[in-house]
Amino acid sequence: MYWKKVKNNTSLWLEWNEWKDARAYFSTRIGKLTDFYSNIHQRNSEKKFAYLRQSHSDKICIVSSPAEYEGDGIVTNNPELILRIKVADCLAIYIYDPVNKVICLVHAGWRGTEKRILEKGIICLKETYGSLPSEICILFSPSICPHCFDVDIWSENENQARLLGVNKISNPRMCTYENPELFYSYRR
């Protein structure tokens, strides 16, 4: 289980292809962000973006159409949407239910982790779509590691998921601070 590096003439990004009906993407500092979005849109030309104006909250937005929403979690069962959040050292956590074809994306820095946003995202899938924790898959994006920051957001979020019965957790443990050639970091 790993993030695959994908490169074109102007950009390099990471792509997760382990799920049958869903993809996860993560930008790098190589290339412009607008080029990254353009590349993702070209690969998914029939789809539109739904994205967040983030505020380090624990608000989860259930969406069905492309637009900007306010919160730190976004969830949909609309296969025509690409969900988007922005992170540097914080975790982007992808929560996917392959049975009900529902995906949630949460922004979990230390504040979101403390407010238990991952737990709230999982509960949202359970209560809104009937998702079973045993079917849910979780993927962690690159983020700051516990060696470079005094809060271990990896372990804290893994524990939140496991306490709710989610065991399919992929954490490639890629540190944004320790990989300056690939990732932005607010701590550098």
Side-chain angles (χ1 to χ4, degrees):
M1 306 285 189
Y2 60 94
W3 285 97
K4 174 183 155 189
K5 290 181 182 177
V6 179
K7 186 174 184 174
N8 73 359
N9 293 338
T10 59
S11 300
L12 173 76
W13 67 89
L14 305 180
E15 187 171 307
W16 183 265
N17 294 319
E18 299 294 323
W19 301 326
K20 183 180 178 217
D21 296 313
R23 297 280 183 270
Y25 303 99
F26 192 83
S27 66
T28 68
R29 66 182 306 139
I30 300 168
K32 295 178 182 174
L33 195 56
T34 54
D35 291 342
F36 167 70
Y37 293 143
S38 177
N39 284 311
I40 300 309
H41 190 266
Q42 286 174 3
R43 292 170 155 252
N44 302 277
S45 60
E46 71 287 353
K47 298 183 180 187
K48 304 287 185 210
F49 287 105
Y51 54 97
L52 293 171
R53 186 174 337 116
Q54 298 160 217
S55 60
H56 296 280
S57 70
D58 62 351
K59 182 179 177 188
I60 308 280
C61 302
I62 300 169
V63 305
S64 59
S65 59
E68 180 181 52
Y69 300 88
E70 187 160 340
D72 284 86
I74 189 166
V75 61
T76 193
N77 64 351
N78 181 347
E80 302 305 312
L81 289 182
I82 298 172
L83 304 182
R84 185 178 92 192
I85 63 172
K86 292 182 180 179
V87 295
D89 292 319
C90 298
L91 267 172
I93 304 177
Y94 305 75
I95 309 165
Y96 177 56
D97 173 356
V99 175
N100 293 300
K101 307 282 191 269
V102 179
I103 193 155
C104 178
L105 186 54
V106 298
H107 164 233
W110 68 266
R111 288 183 210 115
T113 299
E114 187 176 76
K115 293 175 183 176
R116 308 188 73 75
I117 192 159
L118 174 57
E119 178 181 294
K120 290 172 182 168
I122 294 167
I123 290 170
C124 178
L125 265 67
K126 285 172 56 178
E127 292 178 353
T128 308
Y129 300 98
S131 299
L132 299 174
S134 61
E135 298 292 337
I136 291 174
C137 304
I138 291 181
L139 169 64
F140 286 5
S141 73
S143 66
I144 199 159
C145 73
H147 303 292
C148 298
F149 190 61
D150 56 349
V151 178
D152 186 350
I153 57 177
W154 292 349
S155 291
E156 291 293 325
N157 284 287
E158 287 173 357
N159 290 338
Q160 285 180 35
R162 285 197 174 95
L163 287 172
L164 289 173
V166 177
N167 293 310
K168 297 175 188 170
I169 303 169
S170 298
N171 181 359
R173 301 186 184 284
M174 297 176 74
C175 179
T176 50
Y177 183 83
E178 291 176 346
N179 292 284
E181 72 287 353
L182 281 179
F183 305 118
Y184 292 103
S185 173
Y186 288 117
R187 305 286 180 254
R188 258 190 250 111

